[in-house]
Every structure is written in C-alpha cells, then in structure tokens.
C-alpha cells in the first residue's frame, strides 16, 4: 500500500529546495520575520512528504485527521535537535515562495497567535536570538515542552520576564544548566523536546512578530540529520496523538462535557497545551439562524484575551472573517467587561463573532499574561437569546456598527492578516 511505500530521502527534498535557490535573492528583501529561508525550506519539505503519502488509514479515522494531516507533517519536519530551525506552524493556508502551503491548523489554534517551534535536546546548548519590533506582539511566551502534541510544559519564560536590549534585540540561552536567577535562560531537561514560542498579535495591522533565529552552539558532529522516513513516522504519530487523542479526544471531550451554549468557568492549567499563565474557558454552541450566544468576559489582570469560534473539530475557519476578537479588536463596556455576540447572521454589533456559517461549533476563550500562582479575577458568563431580543440583554452602551463601519472593520482585519503572508 502506498501508505508504506515511502522511500524518498531527505536528499531529494534538499535537491528540491536547492532548485528553489534562484528565488532566494528576490525574496531576501522581505521584511516579514516569518518569511525566512528556513521557513521556505521546511514548507517545501512538508509539502513534499504530505503529497507523497496519502495517510489513508489515519485520514479515515476522523474527519479532523483528514483536515489536519498536513499540520501533522509540518509538526514533524523541524524535529531535529542537532540541526534546529525556527518553523511557523499551526497556521492557515498560504501561497508564498512559489509554494502552495496547505493549512496546518489543529487543536484550538488561535488566529492571533504565531506559533513557532524549535527542536530541543538537553544534550545540546542553544542560543536563540530575537528582535522585538515596535510595536511587537501583545503577548509573548516561550514554553519548553515535553510533547509537541499534548504540550506539557517543563520550563517557561514569560514575555514579561524577557529582558530586551534598548535596540530591540534579545538573546535566550537554553541548556541543561540551572537558571540560578539568570534572566533569559531556560533550563532544559531530558524530557524537553521542543521550544514553543507564542507571539499573540492583538492589532493585526500594526503588531509584528519577533524575528527569531536559533543556533546550536554545541558540537553536533557525528549526528546525522533526520531523514524524511523518520519525519513521516513522526507525522503519523502526531496525527494520531495530536489530532485524534489530544485534539478531538481530550480537548473535544473537555469541551463537550459542558452543556451546549454555555462557557465553562475559566481555569488555569499547565497541561493540555495551555500555559501556566493562561486561563481558558471551553464551550460548544448549537445555534439556529435566529439565535445568538451572548457572552460577557471579565479580563482581570490579563494582558491579552481572545474570544474565537472554531469548528466542531476545534479548528478556526476563515481568518479573514470576524471569527475571533481579541482584547485590542473589541470594545469594552463601561465597567471594563467585554460583551460578545456569537451568531450566524450579522447582528450589527461591533463585538460580533461570526460563526462563519456554522450552526454548531466550539469556543475556547483564553486570557493570557496572568500570574501563574494566584487565581485571577477572570470570569465569563453566557446566555442564548433570540436575535430579535438581543437589544434587551445587551448593555445600553453597546457599540453598534453601520454596514460601512463593518466593512472597514473587516477590511482592516483582512489587510492585517495579509501582512503575515508577505514573502
Ligand atoms: C527582522 O527580519 C526581517 C525579515 O527577515 C529583516 O528584514 C529585518 O532586517 C530583521 N531585523 C533585525 C533587526 O534583525
Ligand atoms: C548554559 O547557559 C548558561 C546561561 O546562559 C551559560 O552561562 C553557560 O555557558 C551555558 N553552557 C554552555 C555549555 O553553553
Ligand atoms: C442542535 O439543535 C437542533 C435543534 O435546534 C437539534 O435538532 C440537534 O440535535 C442539535 N445538535 C446537537 C449536536 O445537539
Ligand atoms: C461571515 O463569515 C462567512 C464565512 O466566512 C462569510 O462568508 C460572511 O461574509 C461573513 N459575514 C460578514 C458580515 O462578514
Ligand atoms: C459590567 O457590565 C456588564 C454589562 O452591562 C454587566 O453584565 C456586568 O454584570 C457588569 N459587571 C459588574 C461587576 O458590575
């Protein structure tokens, strides 16, 4: 079966990449920190492995797996801790570098978040070099994790603890030495396999993700680069564990435990891929064309929050539609809370979250930048109302939009999203 017939080597993929060489000079003018040559090479390799393998068994296992098979390959192409690269994953489809990159979103991806990965081994010393643009992301974090699929955190550097030089540059060291009060150092352990970097963009039009590069400073001679065959094995495992077990399995279960059209009390946790400094509330909706879910969120001390709608398989749909709103994209009530209206039809409210045509779907609200120890005063309340009764439950100060104001809001969103895709 084709499933087992994979035989190409990394060499042929590298040849493919080499054939893209002439692009390089034309592309070096890009100012998008995501459009790097490593990104292009890994995108090309992921596409090649994905196209050469049809994943029939796992694709059949769940629609989610089918929809996210490419994401599982993207998660696997940058897994070599001796030859680390920085790779942007869990992102929507894009055309760049003359590549048609399929979408790779899974497991409650956040459309605000630029997720980048660096493979890590505790045998190797790393230097991560970064540069913070002005303005940079609203919330940044660096999580050393023991499993790229369930993401259990073994060490963590909060964006608020990162020391950035006056010229915007920063250096983070990662090795097995204790932190000992040093800033910008992350201690790796034998269970650490990946550094997951989150850059959450609040204002998509103005905020730029950090430039990030990595260097293994230890001697890595004697370690062969991982092969495409190994990448494929990892990808299949990712598909099973990340999508079926963790994504639709654990997270989906967590979501479906709650009554329909409710949102759970926010909880802070370092497991299931969430951050220790993050609170999350889960829910699933089932709305007719004439209903709305109205939710009022208390931000507490969060430096950032997001209210996204995802499909029944926990994946964001059309990022260019207003399917999510974050702390910078929404307007507050007079007392500092935020009220959102989730509906299929546009209710003419500024804080509308478009279900993108879905009558059923999922929601994972997140608050970030909280203190990791104390319980914070974050909260959320939700109710369902008929759209015709909406005004009676909304705060009197609710901001409504004209069709023209909505068009401007959406145009800004589309233009902001497009900035990530420039190459
Ligand atoms: C940040 O990255 C962009 C895109 O690669 C590049 O144009 C810019 O010079 C970099 N800035 C710094 C300070 O490294
Ligand atoms: C490990 O990181 C610490 C902190 O930055 C540094 O002092 C030390 O030299 C590093 N060890 C190696 C072997 O690079
Ligand atoms: C969604 O609601 C409709 C009625 O409006 C019902 O028929 C359907 O079974 C519900 N779906 C789920 C998954 O509960
Ligand atoms: C809501 O989302 C759908 C699906 O992406 C899109 O077709 C529609 O235009 C959006 N509605 C508005 C008013 O933006
Ligand atoms: C804040 O205002 C919202 C909207 O009017 C209301 O639902 C909520 O109860 C208020 N919260 C407090 C703590 O007064």
């Amino acid at each position: 079966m084709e499933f087992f017939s994979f035989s190409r080597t990394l060499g042929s993929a590298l040849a493919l990449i080499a054939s893209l060489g002439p692009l390089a000079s034309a592309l070096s003018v890009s100012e998008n920190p995501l459009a790097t040559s490593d990104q292009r090479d890994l995108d090309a390799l992921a596409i090649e492995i994905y196209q050469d393998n049809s994943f029939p068994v796992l694709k059949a296992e769940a629609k989610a797996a089918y929809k996210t098979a490419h994401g599982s390959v993207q998660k696997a192409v940058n897994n070599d801790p001796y030859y680390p690269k920085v790779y942007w994953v869990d992102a929507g489809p894009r055309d760049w570098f003359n590549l048609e990159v399929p979408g790779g979103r899974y497991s409650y991806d956040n459309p605000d978040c630029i997720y980048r990965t660096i493979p890590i081994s505790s045998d190797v010393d790393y230097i991560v070099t970064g540069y913070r643009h002005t303005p940079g992301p609203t919330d940044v974090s660096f999580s050393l994790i023991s499993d790229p699929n369930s993401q259990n955190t073994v060490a963590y550097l909060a964006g608020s603890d990162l020391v950035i030089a006056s010229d915007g540059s920063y250096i983070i060291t990662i090795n097995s030495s204790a932190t000992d009060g040093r800033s910008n150092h992350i201690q790796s352990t034998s269970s650490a396999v990946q550094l997951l970097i989150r850059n959450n963009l609040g204002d998509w039009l103005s905020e730029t993700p950090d430039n990030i590069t990595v260097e293994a400073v230890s001697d890595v001679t004697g370690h062969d680069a991982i092969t495409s065959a190994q990448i494929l094995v990892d990808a299949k495992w990712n598909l099973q564990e990340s999508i079926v077990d963790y994504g639709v399995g654990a997270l989906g279960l967590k979501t479906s435990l709650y009554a329909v059209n409710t949102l759970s009390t926010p909880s802070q946790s370092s497991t299931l891929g969430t951050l220790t400094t993050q609170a999350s509330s889960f829910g699933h909706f089932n709305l007719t064309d004439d209903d709305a879910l109205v939710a009022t969120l208390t931000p507490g001390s969060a430096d950032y929050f997001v209210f996204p709608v995802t499909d029944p398989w926990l994946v964001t749909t059309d990022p260019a539609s207003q399917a999510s709103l974050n702390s910078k994209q929404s307007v507050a009530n007079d007392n500092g809370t935020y009220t959102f209206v989730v509906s299929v039809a546009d209710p003419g409210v500024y804080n509308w979250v478009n279900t993108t045509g879905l009558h059923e779907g999922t929601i994972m609200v997140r608050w970030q930048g909280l203190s990791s120890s104390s319980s914070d005063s974050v909260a959320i309340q939700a109710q369902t109302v008929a759209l015709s009764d909406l005004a009676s439950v909304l705060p009197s100060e609710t901001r409504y939009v004209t069709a023209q104001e909505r068009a401007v809001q959406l145009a800004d969103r589309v233009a902001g999203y497009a900035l990530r895709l420039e190459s």
Side-chain angles (χ1 to χ4, degrees):
M1 267 167 42
E2 203 179 70
F3 193 58
F4 296 105
S5 70
F6 183 83
S7 65
R8 294 224 192 168
T9 61
L10 188 62
S12 72
L14 292 175
L16 170 83
I17 290 162
S19 72
L20 297 171
L23 281 172
S25 57
L27 295 166
S28 60
V29 295
S30 172
E31 288 181 4
N32 177 1
L34 305 172
T36 65
S37 55
D38 278 352
Q39 183 73 31
R40 177 199 60 190
D41 294 352
L42 291 167
D43 274 348
L45 183 55
I47 290 169
E48 180 175 278
I49 292 174
Y50 177 66
Q51 287 176 347
D52 283 356
N53 293 276
S54 68
F55 296 92
V57 176
L58 288 166
K59 272 181 180 170
E61 194 158 356
K63 191 167 176 191
Y66 178 82
K67 286 169 65 128
T68 47
H70 186 256
S72 72
V73 181
Q74 287 186 324
K75 277 172 98 168
V77 288
N78 189 30
N79 267 4
D80 192 334
Y82 298 101
Y83 302 96
K85 292 176 180 173
V86 178
Y87 193 40
W88 176 30
V89 297
D90 208 354
R94 58 195 170 273
D95 288 340
W96 66 354
F97 299 125
N98 282 0
L99 297 170
E100 253 180 66
V101 183
R105 299 180 179 281
Y106 54 87
S107 297
Y108 278 133
D109 61 287
N110 177 354
D112 295 334
C113 191
I114 306 297
Y115 300 89
R116 280 174 286 184
T117 64
I118 296 175
I120 297 291
S121 159
S122 58
D123 297 339
V124 181
D125 300 289
Y126 302 91
I127 293 182
V128 174
T129 304
Y131 173 75
R132 177 64 46 84
H133 296 264
T134 308
T138 295
D139 185 69
V140 172
S141 64
F142 301 85
S143 305
L144 198 57
I145 59 180
S146 59
D147 182 331
N149 297 319
S150 63
Q151 304 182 5
N152 289 330
T153 307
V154 299
Y156 180 71
L157 175 62
S160 54
D161 292 332
L162 179 70
V163 178
I164 302 174
S166 54
D167 65 359
S169 66
Y170 60 85
I171 285 177
I172 298 171
T173 52
I174 303 171
N175 63 40
S176 55
S177 310
T179 302
D180 274 342
R182 275 184 291 240
S183 57
N184 293 9
H185 178 72
I186 301 174
Q187 182 182 8
S188 56
T189 65
S190 55
S191 64
V193 298
Q194 185 182 85
L195 184 71
L196 177 64
I197 304 164
R198 288 174 168 94
N199 280 188
N200 287 285
L201 307 180
D203 178 348
W204 293 5
L205 265 178
S206 69
E207 296 178 18
T208 305
D210 291 357
N211 288 21
I212 298 174
T213 55
V214 63
E215 192 190 344
V217 288
S218 311
D219 182 9
V220 296
T221 49
H223 293 279
D224 293 334
I226 58 169
T227 62
S228 287
Q230 282 171 278
I231 291 171
L232 183 61
V233 169
D234 285 352
K236 288 177 191 167
W237 174 247
N238 287 343
L239 197 50
Q240 175 63 37
E241 188 181 50
S242 157
I243 310 307
V244 182
D245 300 347
Y246 167 68
V248 173
L251 276 177
L253 187 63
K254 202 164 173 166
T255 301
S256 56
L257 281 177
Y258 301 104
V260 69
N261 296 333
T262 63
L263 290 168
S264 66
T265 303
S267 66
Q268 270 173 264
S269 153
S270 62
T271 57
L272 281 181
T274 52
L275 300 165
T276 48
T277 53
Q278 173 179 315
S280 317
S281 165
F282 297 86
H284 58 113
F285 60 87
N286 183 4
L287 301 169
T288 69
D289 282 337
D290 304 321
D291 294 329
L293 180 75
V294 177
T296 295
L297 175 155
T298 305
S301 67
D303 64 9
Y304 160 88
F305 65 76
V306 62
F307 191 114
V309 153
T310 31
D311 70 15
W313 300 279
L314 323 183
V315 177
T316 49
T317 51
D318 182 1
S321 294
Q322 193 163 291
S324 67
L325 286 173
N326 65 43
S327 35
K328 295 233 172 109
Q329 294 168 332
S330 43
V331 291
N333 297 323
D334 288 348
N335 66 7
T337 61
Y338 290 77
T339 298
F340 299 96
V341 178
V342 180
S343 56
V344 180
D346 184 349
V349 170
Y350 191 92
N351 290 353
W352 171 49
V353 180
N354 185 351
T355 68
T356 63
L358 297 173
H359 294 93
E360 291 180 43
T362 52
I363 297 173
M364 179 183 172
V365 185
R366 276 157 265 200
W367 295 252
Q368 288 174 208
L370 302 170
S371 130
S372 49
S373 47
S374 66
S375 65
D376 206 282
S377 58
V378 301
I380 196 151
Q381 276 164 343
Q383 61 179 316
T384 322
V385 293
L387 272 178
S388 52
D389 294 334
L390 191 59
S392 68
V393 303
L394 290 178
S396 56
E397 67 269 27
T398 295
R399 183 157 151 201
Y400 292 87
V401 288
T402 62
Q404 198 185 353
E405 287 165 338
R406 176 74 80 213
V408 170
Q409 192 185 24
L410 287 172
D412 282 352
R413 185 179 181 93
V414 170
Y417 191 79
L419 292 176
R420 298 178 201 182
L421 310 181
E422 285 178 357
S423 65

